[in-house]
Amino acid sequence: MASGEVRAVLRTDYAGSGLGEEQLAATPFQQISRWVEEARARQEEQGDVPEPDALSVATVDEDGPDVRTVLMRFLDPRGPGFVTNLQSTKGRQLAGNPRIAASLTWPSMFRAVRFRGTAELVDRAEVETYFQQRPWGSRVSAWASDQSQPAGGREQLETAYAEYAARFPDHGRPEDVPVPEHWGAVRIRADQVEFWAGRINRLHDRLVLARVGDGDLDDAASWAVTRLQP
């Protein structure tokens, strides 16, 4: 490209349906659930919302912020949650500083939900119940992967997997593979939830629900709504 030449920028007008205050559900949990279900349904029908439960998670440590994408595996009035090796980078960061931010984003629907709050460990009984529902291979990989640590190569990972697969053979039972002690789940106790809906001319809707009480996401009295300029 010649000096001073400006490269053409691909632009998309966000022709979403928006989100007005009158459309907002009675509680944050009801609105989150509505959008999540609509994203899942759209993926089933149109196939343009891959991994509708993909959750970008931001943590922080002494080097600054860090972000990655996981899958949302829990969603109830207490907040969204995900599973992880608790000794992974994000696990160690959250142990040192539990402040957390996350977002669900569905570009084809011009929608996003943003969370800010505090990370809490999910009860061990809930973790075990979820772990037993995972496919056998995914349960084995929870043992084989020393998440976030350097790997000597692909062969090292495959060898570790084969060793644990032999140790915990698949008999089609939930108890075939026990839950590793280092494996758990994190729930986000949100203090703020933002619903972003793209609109034409970049006049997007941003409705923020901020915590004003101690209730959960399904307690209307614990949340106050504010519209932010886009």
Side-chain angles (χ1 to χ4, degrees), residues 45-90:
E45 296 165 4
Q46 301 187 36
D48 62 353
V49 189
E51 295 291 8
D53 293 348
L55 183 71
S56 296
V57 173
T59 53
V60 67
D61 60 16
E62 62 276 7
D63 294 323
D66 201 0
V67 67
R68 78 287 291 158
T69 300
V70 300
L71 291 177
M72 182 176 65
R73 293 307 193 191
F74 301 89
L75 180 61
D76 61 39
R78 294 169 294 178
F82 56 92
V83 298
T84 187
N85 183 323
L86 298 176
Q87 297 173 357
S88 66
T89 297
K90 60 182 171 296

mmCIF file of all heavy atoms in Angstrom, residues 45-90:
data_model
loop_
_atom_site.group_PDB
_atom_site.id
_atom_site.type_symbol
_atom_site.label_atom_id
_atom_site.label_comp_id
_atom_site.label_asym_id
_atom_site.label_seq_id
_atom_site.Cartn_x
_atom_site.Cartn_y
_atom_site.Cartn_z
ATOM 1 N N GLU A 45 -31.635 -23.059 14.347
ATOM 2 C CA GLU A 45 -32.442 -22.774 13.163
ATOM 3 C C GLU A 45 -31.614 -22.267 11.991
ATOM 4 O O GLU A 45 -31.850 -22.656 10.835
ATOM 5 C CB GLU A 45 -33.511 -21.735 13.514
ATOM 6 C CG GLU A 45 -34.522 -22.235 14.540
ATOM 7 C CD GLU A 45 -35.348 -21.124 15.139
ATOM 8 O OE1 GLU A 45 -35.178 -19.955 14.702
ATOM 9 O OE2 GLU A 45 -36.158 -21.399 16.049
ATOM 10 N N GLN A 46 -30.636 -21.377 12.272
ATOM 11 C CA GLN A 46 -29.914 -20.722 11.183
ATOM 12 C C GLN A 46 -28.426 -21.048 11.153
ATOM 13 O O GLN A 46 -27.762 -20.808 10.144
ATOM 14 C CB GLN A 46 -30.102 -19.198 11.275
ATOM 15 C CG GLN A 46 -31.562 -18.759 11.197
ATOM 16 C CD GLN A 46 -31.710 -17.246 11.116
ATOM 17 O OE1 GLN A 46 -30.900 -16.561 10.486
ATOM 18 N NE2 GLN A 46 -32.732 -16.719 11.754
ATOM 19 N N GLY A 47 -27.886 -21.512 12.265
ATOM 20 C CA GLY A 47 -26.488 -21.920 12.293
ATOM 21 C C GLY A 47 -25.484 -20.791 12.257
ATOM 22 O O GLY A 47 -24.311 -21.030 11.955
ATOM 23 N N ASP A 48 -25.905 -19.556 12.580
ATOM 24 C CA ASP A 48 -24.968 -18.434 12.515
ATOM 25 C C ASP A 48 -24.613 -17.878 13.897
ATOM 26 O O ASP A 48 -24.114 -16.765 14.010
ATOM 27 C CB ASP A 48 -25.518 -17.315 11.626
ATOM 28 C CG ASP A 48 -26.825 -16.721 12.135
ATOM 29 O OD1 ASP A 48 -27.397 -17.254 13.104
ATOM 30 O OD2 ASP A 48 -27.284 -15.705 11.552
ATOM 31 N N VAL A 49 -24.858 -18.685 14.930
ATOM 32 C CA VAL A 49 -24.451 -18.300 16.286
ATOM 33 C C VAL A 49 -23.641 -19.455 16.878
ATOM 34 O O VAL A 49 -24.086 -20.136 17.808
ATOM 35 C CB VAL A 49 -25.665 -17.977 17.187
ATOM 36 C CG1 VAL A 49 -25.212 -17.372 18.512
ATOM 37 C CG2 VAL A 49 -26.623 -17.010 16.499
ATOM 38 N N PRO A 50 -22.461 -19.727 16.328
ATOM 39 C CA PRO A 50 -21.668 -20.843 16.836
ATOM 40 C C PRO A 50 -21.293 -20.631 18.294
ATOM 41 O O PRO A 50 -20.984 -19.517 18.713
ATOM 42 C CB PRO A 50 -20.428 -20.845 15.934
ATOM 43 C CG PRO A 50 -20.352 -19.450 15.401
ATOM 44 C CD PRO A 50 -21.768 -18.987 15.260
ATOM 45 N N GLU A 51 -21.369 -21.696 19.080
ATOM 46 C CA GLU A 51 -21.073 -21.643 20.516
ATOM 47 C C GLU A 51 -21.817 -20.486 21.193
ATOM 48 O O GLU A 51 -21.202 -19.535 21.697
ATOM 49 C CB GLU A 51 -19.560 -21.518 20.756
ATOM 50 C CG GLU A 51 -18.751 -22.712 20.300
ATOM 51 C CD GLU A 51 -18.998 -23.968 21.144
ATOM 52 O OE1 GLU A 51 -19.909 -23.962 22.002
ATOM 53 O OE2 GLU A 51 -18.276 -24.960 20.929
ATOM 54 N N PRO A 52 -23.137 -20.533 21.225
ATOM 55 C CA PRO A 52 -23.895 -19.432 21.841
ATOM 56 C C PRO A 52 -23.595 -19.233 23.320
ATOM 57 O O PRO A 52 -23.897 -18.169 23.868
ATOM 58 C CB PRO A 52 -25.354 -19.843 21.623
ATOM 59 C CG PRO A 52 -25.315 -21.317 21.396
ATOM 60 C CD PRO A 52 -24.026 -21.584 20.709
ATOM 61 N N ASP A 53 -22.980 -20.241 23.969
ATOM 62 C CA ASP A 53 -22.636 -20.122 25.384
ATOM 63 C C ASP A 53 -21.188 -19.680 25.603
ATOM 64 O O ASP A 53 -20.690 -19.722 26.733
ATOM 65 C CB ASP A 53 -22.856 -21.455 26.103
ATOM 66 C CG ASP A 53 -24.330 -21.839 26.179
ATOM 67 O OD1 ASP A 53 -25.187 -20.976 25.890
ATOM 68 O OD2 ASP A 53 -24.629 -22.994 26.519
ATOM 69 N N ALA A 54 -20.505 -19.257 24.533
ATOM 70 C CA ALA A 54 -19.120 -18.801 24.667
ATOM 71 C C ALA A 54 -19.081 -17.544 25.535
ATOM 72 O O ALA A 54 -19.778 -16.563 25.265
ATOM 73 C CB ALA A 54 -18.513 -18.529 23.299
ATOM 74 N N LEU A 55 -18.243 -17.573 26.560
ATOM 75 C CA LEU A 55 -18.174 -16.500 27.550
ATOM 76 C C LEU A 55 -16.742 -15.986 27.622
ATOM 77 O O LEU A 55 -15.825 -16.729 27.978
ATOM 78 C CB LEU A 55 -18.604 -17.041 28.913
ATOM 79 C CG LEU A 55 -18.666 -16.073 30.097
ATOM 80 C CD1 LEU A 55 -19.845 -15.109 29.936
ATOM 81 C CD2 LEU A 55 -18.796 -16.846 31.408
ATOM 82 N N SER A 56 -16.528 -14.732 27.264
ATOM 83 C CA SER A 56 -15.207 -14.121 27.403
ATOM 84 C C SER A 56 -15.038 -13.684 28.854
ATOM 85 O O SER A 56 -15.899 -12.988 29.398
ATOM 86 C CB SER A 56 -15.059 -12.926 26.468
ATOM 87 O OG SER A 56 -15.130 -13.338 25.119
ATOM 88 N N VAL A 57 -13.934 -14.097 29.471
ATOM 89 C CA VAL A 57 -13.709 -13.859 30.896
ATOM 90 C C VAL A 57 -12.417 -13.085 31.092
ATOM 91 O O VAL A 57 -11.353 -13.488 30.602
ATOM 92 C CB VAL A 57 -13.636 -15.197 31.665
ATOM 93 C CG1 VAL A 57 -13.237 -14.967 33.115
ATOM 94 C CG2 VAL A 57 -14.969 -15.923 31.593
ATOM 95 N N ALA A 58 -12.500 -11.968 31.805
ATOM 96 C CA ALA A 58 -11.334 -11.130 32.080
ATOM 97 C C ALA A 58 -10.989 -11.186 33.565
ATOM 98 O O ALA A 58 -11.866 -11.057 34.429
ATOM 99 C CB ALA A 58 -11.601 -9.692 31.665
ATOM 100 N N THR A 59 -9.705 -11.388 33.823
ATOM 101 C CA THR A 59 -9.171 -11.387 35.182
ATOM 102 C C THR A 59 -8.007 -10.404 35.222
ATOM 103 O O THR A 59 -7.667 -9.783 34.210
ATOM 104 C CB THR A 59 -8.679 -12.794 35.564
ATOM 105 O OG1 THR A 59 -7.760 -13.251 34.545
ATOM 106 C CG2 THR A 59 -9.834 -13.783 35.648
ATOM 107 N N VAL A 60 -7.382 -10.275 36.371
ATOM 108 C CA VAL A 60 -6.274 -9.332 36.488
ATOM 109 C C VAL A 60 -5.249 -9.877 37.469
ATOM 110 O O VAL A 60 -5.586 -10.591 38.420
ATOM 111 C CB VAL A 60 -6.777 -7.937 36.930
ATOM 112 C CG1 VAL A 60 -7.317 -7.968 38.348
ATOM 113 C CG2 VAL A 60 -5.703 -6.880 36.771
ATOM 114 N N ASP A 61 -3.980 -9.576 37.214
ATOM 115 C CA ASP A 61 -2.913 -9.913 38.157
ATOM 116 C C ASP A 61 -1.908 -8.764 38.166
ATOM 117 O O ASP A 61 -2.192 -7.671 37.650
ATOM 118 C CB ASP A 61 -2.247 -11.253 37.820
ATOM 119 C CG ASP A 61 -1.617 -11.286 36.436
ATOM 120 O OD1 ASP A 61 -1.417 -10.198 35.826
ATOM 121 O OD2 ASP A 61 -1.312 -12.389 35.944
ATOM 122 N N GLU A 62 -0.731 -8.988 38.719
ATOM 123 C CA GLU A 62 0.246 -7.911 38.839
ATOM 124 C C GLU A 62 0.747 -7.413 37.486
ATOM 125 O O GLU A 62 1.287 -6.305 37.380
ATOM 126 C CB GLU A 62 1.435 -8.365 39.691
ATOM 127 C CG GLU A 62 2.231 -9.523 39.137
ATOM 128 C CD GLU A 62 1.634 -10.875 39.490
ATOM 129 O OE1 GLU A 62 0.526 -10.913 40.058
ATOM 130 O OE2 GLU A 62 2.287 -11.898 39.191
ATOM 131 N N ASP A 63 0.569 -8.203 36.437
ATOM 132 C CA ASP A 63 0.982 -7.788 35.102
ATOM 133 C C ASP A 63 -0.123 -7.063 34.337
ATOM 134 O O ASP A 63 0.113 -6.575 33.228
ATOM 135 C CB ASP A 63 1.447 -9.005 34.292
ATOM 136 C CG ASP A 63 2.710 -9.617 34.866
ATOM 137 O OD1 ASP A 63 3.569 -8.846 35.342
ATOM 138 O OD2 ASP A 63 2.833 -10.859 34.854
ATOM 139 N N GLY A 64 -1.334 -7.023 34.901
ATOM 140 C CA GLY A 64 -2.424 -6.324 34.243
ATOM 141 C C GLY A 64 -3.574 -7.255 33.901
ATOM 142 O O GLY A 64 -3.653 -8.389 34.394
ATOM 143 N N PRO A 65 -4.489 -6.800 33.045
ATOM 144 C CA PRO A 65 -5.659 -7.609 32.697
ATOM 145 C C PRO A 65 -5.311 -8.770 31.779
ATOM 146 O O PRO A 65 -4.314 -8.726 31.042
ATOM 147 C CB PRO A 65 -6.583 -6.603 32.003
ATOM 148 C CG PRO A 65 -5.663 -5.561 31.462
ATOM 149 C CD PRO A 65 -4.530 -5.459 32.440
ATOM 150 N N ASP A 66 -6.159 -9.793 31.824
ATOM 151 C CA ASP A 66 -5.971 -10.997 31.019
ATOM 152 C C ASP A 66 -7.360 -11.474 30.611
ATOM 153 O O ASP A 66 -8.297 -11.424 31.419
ATOM 154 C CB ASP A 66 -5.272 -12.069 31.861
ATOM 155 C CG ASP A 66 -4.595 -13.131 31.025
ATOM 156 O OD1 ASP A 66 -4.665 -13.053 29.785
ATOM 157 O OD2 ASP A 66 -3.993 -14.047 31.617
ATOM 158 N N VAL A 67 -7.517 -11.918 29.375
ATOM 159 C CA VAL A 67 -8.842 -12.333 28.912
ATOM 160 C C VAL A 67 -8.727 -13.594 28.087
ATOM 161 O O VAL A 67 -7.719 -13.826 27.412
ATOM 162 C CB VAL A 67 -9.525 -11.201 28.097
ATOM 163 C CG1 VAL A 67 -8.795 -10.951 26.785
ATOM 164 C CG2 VAL A 67 -10.996 -11.508 27.859
ATOM 165 N N ARG A 68 -9.769 -14.428 28.167
ATOM 166 C CA ARG A 68 -9.852 -15.653 27.375
ATOM 167 C C ARG A 68 -11.319 -16.015 27.224
ATOM 168 O O ARG A 68 -12.186 -15.456 27.907
ATOM 169 C CB ARG A 68 -9.070 -16.815 27.995
ATOM 170 C CG ARG A 68 -9.766 -17.505 29.155
ATOM 171 C CD ARG A 68 -9.790 -16.706 30.430
ATOM 172 N NE ARG A 68 -8.452 -16.599 31.011
ATOM 173 C CZ ARG A 68 -8.087 -15.658 31.842
ATOM 174 N NH1 ARG A 68 -8.958 -14.719 32.224
ATOM 175 N NH2 ARG A 68 -6.871 -15.602 32.342
ATOM 176 N N THR A 69 -11.619 -16.965 26.346
ATOM 177 C CA THR A 69 -12.998 -17.391 26.136
ATOM 178 C C THR A 69 -13.178 -18.817 26.638
ATOM 179 O O THR A 69 -12.389 -19.711 26.314
ATOM 180 C CB THR A 69 -13.389 -17.309 24.652
ATOM 181 O OG1 THR A 69 -13.246 -15.953 24.211
ATOM 182 C CG2 THR A 69 -14.830 -17.739 24.444
ATOM 183 N N VAL A 70 -14.217 -19.016 27.442
ATOM 184 C CA VAL A 70 -14.575 -20.321 27.979
ATOM 185 C C VAL A 70 -16.024 -20.594 27.577
ATOM 186 O O VAL A 70 -16.641 -19.814 26.853
ATOM 187 C CB VAL A 70 -14.411 -20.349 29.513
ATOM 188 C CG1 VAL A 70 -12.965 -20.062 29.909
ATOM 189 C CG2 VAL A 70 -15.347 -19.337 30.186
ATOM 190 N N LEU A 71 -16.573 -21.694 28.045
ATOM 191 C CA LEU A 71 -17.985 -21.981 27.815
ATOM 192 C C LEU A 71 -18.752 -21.821 29.114
ATOM 193 O O LEU A 71 -18.324 -22.318 30.164
ATOM 194 C CB LEU A 71 -18.169 -23.395 27.274
ATOM 195 C CG LEU A 71 -17.655 -23.636 25.852
ATOM 196 C CD1 LEU A 71 -17.845 -25.101 25.466
ATOM 197 C CD2 LEU A 71 -18.358 -22.732 24.852
ATOM 198 N N MET A 72 -19.853 -21.112 29.059
ATOM 199 C CA MET A 72 -20.719 -20.962 30.223
ATOM 200 C C MET A 72 -21.394 -22.299 30.488
ATOM 201 O O MET A 72 -22.134 -22.816 29.657
ATOM 202 C CB MET A 72 -21.768 -19.877 29.970
ATOM 203 C CG MET A 72 -22.690 -19.627 31.140
ATOM 204 S SD MET A 72 -23.851 -18.253 30.828
ATOM 205 C CE MET A 72 -24.837 -18.957 29.478
ATOM 206 N N ARG A 73 -21.127 -22.877 31.662
ATOM 207 C CA ARG A 73 -21.670 -24.188 32.000
ATOM 208 C C ARG A 73 -22.723 -24.124 33.096
ATOM 209 O O ARG A 73 -23.395 -25.124 33.361
ATOM 210 C CB ARG A 73 -20.538 -25.122 32.428
ATOM 211 C CG ARG A 73 -19.570 -25.485 31.317
ATOM 212 C CD ARG A 73 -20.290 -26.040 30.102
ATOM 213 N NE ARG A 73 -19.385 -26.672 29.152
ATOM 214 C CZ ARG A 73 -19.734 -27.050 27.932
ATOM 215 N NH1 ARG A 73 -20.979 -26.828 27.507
ATOM 216 N NH2 ARG A 73 -18.869 -27.626 27.130
ATOM 217 N N PHE A 74 -22.855 -22.970 33.735
ATOM 218 C CA PHE A 74 -23.860 -22.782 34.769
ATOM 219 C C PHE A 74 -24.565 -21.459 34.498
ATOM 220 O O PHE A 74 -23.936 -20.481 34.105
ATOM 221 C CB PHE A 74 -23.226 -22.722 36.167
ATOM 222 C CG PHE A 74 -22.444 -23.946 36.548
ATOM 223 C CD1 PHE A 74 -21.094 -24.052 36.240
ATOM 224 C CD2 PHE A 74 -23.045 -24.995 37.227
ATOM 225 C CE1 PHE A 74 -20.359 -25.163 36.590
ATOM 226 C CE2 PHE A 74 -22.321 -26.122 37.584
ATOM 227 C CZ PHE A 74 -20.978 -26.211 37.270
ATOM 228 N N LEU A 75 -25.853 -21.429 34.694
ATOM 229 C CA LEU A 75 -26.600 -20.180 34.642
ATOM 230 C C LEU A 75 -27.852 -20.339 35.494
ATOM 231 O O LEU A 75 -28.754 -21.110 35.157
ATOM 232 C CB LEU A 75 -26.986 -19.805 33.208
ATOM 233 C CG LEU A 75 -27.784 -18.491 33.089
ATOM 234 C CD1 LEU A 75 -26.973 -17.307 33.609
ATOM 235 C CD2 LEU A 75 -28.224 -18.246 31.651
ATOM 236 N N ASP A 76 -27.874 -19.631 36.597
ATOM 237 C CA ASP A 76 -29.038 -19.606 37.469
ATOM 238 C C ASP A 76 -29.067 -18.236 38.141
ATOM 239 O O ASP A 76 -28.209 -17.389 37.852
ATOM 240 C CB ASP A 76 -29.010 -20.768 38.475
ATOM 241 C CG ASP A 76 -27.813 -20.750 39.405
ATOM 242 O OD1 ASP A 76 -27.397 -19.655 39.848
ATOM 243 O OD2 ASP A 76 -27.285 -21.826 39.733
ATOM 244 N N PRO A 77 -30.044 -17.960 39.000
ATOM 245 C CA PRO A 77 -30.129 -16.621 39.591
ATOM 246 C C PRO A 77 -28.900 -16.184 40.378
ATOM 247 O O PRO A 77 -28.735 -14.989 40.649
ATOM 248 C CB PRO A 77 -31.371 -16.721 40.491
ATOM 249 C CG PRO A 77 -32.234 -17.718 39.801
ATOM 250 C CD PRO A 77 -31.273 -18.745 39.293
ATOM 251 N N ARG A 78 -28.030 -17.131 40.722
ATOM 252 C CA ARG A 78 -26.805 -16.748 41.423
ATOM 253 C C ARG A 78 -25.772 -16.156 40.478
ATOM 254 O O ARG A 78 -24.847 -15.459 40.910
ATOM 255 C CB ARG A 78 -26.222 -17.960 42.156
ATOM 256 C CG ARG A 78 -27.097 -18.472 43.277
ATOM 257 C CD ARG A 78 -26.602 -19.822 43.795
ATOM 258 N NE ARG A 78 -26.745 -20.867 42.778
ATOM 259 C CZ ARG A 78 -26.358 -22.130 42.946
ATOM 260 N NH1 ARG A 78 -25.802 -22.497 44.095
ATOM 261 N NH2 ARG A 78 -26.535 -23.007 41.987
ATOM 262 N N GLY A 79 -25.882 -16.459 39.186
ATOM 263 C CA GLY A 79 -24.949 -15.915 38.210
ATOM 264 C C GLY A 79 -24.458 -16.963 37.235
ATOM 265 O O GLY A 79 -24.664 -18.161 37.429
ATOM 266 N N PRO A 80 -23.781 -16.523 36.159
ATOM 267 C CA PRO A 80 -23.199 -17.456 35.203
ATOM 268 C C PRO A 80 -21.924 -18.081 35.770
ATOM 269 O O PRO A 80 -21.260 -17.496 36.631
ATOM 270 C CB PRO A 80 -22.880 -16.568 33.998
ATOM 271 C CG PRO A 80 -22.599 -15.222 34.612
ATOM 272 C CD PRO A 80 -23.529 -15.121 35.799
ATOM 273 N N GLY A 81 -21.600 -19.281 35.283
ATOM 274 C CA GLY A 81 -20.392 -19.944 35.775
ATOM 275 C C GLY A 81 -19.721 -20.767 34.709
ATOM 276 O O GLY A 81 -20.309 -21.086 33.665
ATOM 277 N N PHE A 82 -18.465 -21.109 34.958
ATOM 278 C CA PHE A 82 -17.684 -21.901 34.018
ATOM 279 C C PHE A 82 -16.782 -22.839 34.801
ATOM 280 O O PHE A 82 -16.517 -22.630 35.983
ATOM 281 C CB PHE A 82 -16.839 -21.001 33.107
ATOM 282 C CG PHE A 82 -15.918 -20.063 33.843
ATOM 283 C CD1 PHE A 82 -14.607 -20.425 34.131
ATOM 284 C CD2 PHE A 82 -16.354 -18.807 34.251
ATOM 285 C CE1 PHE A 82 -13.753 -19.561 34.814
ATOM 286 C CE2 PHE A 82 -15.513 -17.934 34.931
ATOM 287 C CZ PHE A 82 -14.214 -18.319 35.212
ATOM 288 N N VAL A 83 -16.314 -23.898 34.151
ATOM 289 C CA VAL A 83 -15.428 -24.867 34.791
ATOM 290 C C VAL A 83 -13.993 -24.599 34.367
ATOM 291 O O VAL A 83 -13.731 -24.044 33.304
ATOM 292 C CB VAL A 83 -15.835 -26.317 34.450
ATOM 293 C CG1 VAL A 83 -17.231 -26.610 34.977
ATOM 294 C CG2 VAL A 83 -15.773 -26.576 32.954
ATOM 295 N N THR A 84 -13.065 -25.018 35.218
ATOM 296 C CA THR A 84 -11.656 -24.771 34.934
ATOM 297 C C THR A 84 -10.775 -25.602 35.854
ATOM 298 O O THR A 84 -11.231 -26.097 36.892
ATOM 299 C CB THR A 84 -11.318 -23.275 35.123
ATOM 300 O OG1 THR A 84 -9.972 -23.033 34.686
ATOM 301 C CG2 THR A 84 -11.446 -22.855 36.571
ATOM 302 N N ASN A 85 -9.539 -25.743 35.464
ATOM 303 C CA ASN A 85 -8.507 -26.227 36.366
ATOM 304 C C ASN A 85 -8.201 -25.074 37.326
ATOM 305 O O ASN A 85 -7.816 -23.984 36.889
ATOM 306 C CB ASN A 85 -7.264 -26.616 35.555
ATOM 307 C CG ASN A 85 -6.150 -27.194 36.409
ATOM 308 O OD1 ASN A 85 -5.925 -26.770 37.535
ATOM 309 N ND2 ASN A 85 -5.423 -28.151 35.848
ATOM 310 N N LEU A 86 -8.403 -25.282 38.605
ATOM 311 C CA LEU A 86 -8.230 -24.190 39.566
ATOM 312 C C LEU A 86 -6.779 -23.764 39.720
ATOM 313 O O LEU A 86 -6.498 -22.711 40.300
ATOM 314 C CB LEU A 86 -8.812 -24.605 40.924
ATOM 315 C CG LEU A 86 -10.320 -24.898 40.913
ATOM 316 C CD1 LEU A 86 -10.771 -25.392 42.292
ATOM 317 C CD2 LEU A 86 -11.119 -23.679 40.490
ATOM 318 N N GLN A 87 -5.847 -24.571 39.182
ATOM 319 C CA GLN A 87 -4.442 -24.208 39.213
ATOM 320 C C GLN A 87 -3.991 -23.562 37.902
ATOM 321 O O GLN A 87 -2.810 -23.267 37.730
ATOM 322 C CB GLN A 87 -3.594 -25.457 39.500
ATOM 323 C CG GLN A 87 -3.890 -26.076 40.861
ATOM 324 C CD GLN A 87 -3.187 -27.404 41.072
ATOM 325 O OE1 GLN A 87 -2.506 -27.915 40.180
ATOM 326 N NE2 GLN A 87 -3.371 -27.978 42.248
ATOM 327 N N SER A 88 -4.933 -23.322 37.000
ATOM 328 C CA SER A 88 -4.613 -22.660 35.736
ATOM 329 C C SER A 88 -4.313 -21.187 35.983
ATOM 330 O O SER A 88 -4.459 -20.680 37.105
ATOM 331 C CB SER A 88 -5.802 -22.782 34.777
ATOM 332 O OG SER A 88 -6.916 -22.053 35.290
ATOM 333 N N THR A 89 -3.927 -20.489 34.930
ATOM 334 C CA THR A 89 -3.629 -19.068 35.071
ATOM 335 C C THR A 89 -4.829 -18.298 35.627
ATOM 336 O O THR A 89 -4.699 -17.526 36.578
ATOM 337 C CB THR A 89 -3.206 -18.467 33.720
ATOM 338 O OG1 THR A 89 -2.001 -19.109 33.283
ATOM 339 C CG2 THR A 89 -2.956 -16.968 33.839
ATOM 340 N N LYS A 90 -6.008 -18.516 35.046
ATOM 341 C CA LYS A 90 -7.178 -17.781 35.538
ATOM 342 C C LYS A 90 -7.546 -18.198 36.953
ATOM 343 O O LYS A 90 -8.004 -17.377 37.750
ATOM 344 C CB LYS A 90 -8.360 -17.930 34.587
ATOM 345 C CG LYS A 90 -8.865 -19.332 34.355
ATOM 346 C CD LYS A 90 -10.019 -19.276 33.350
ATOM 347 C CE LYS A 90 -10.441 -20.663 32.882
ATOM 348 N NZ LYS A 90 -9.360 -21.354 32.120
#
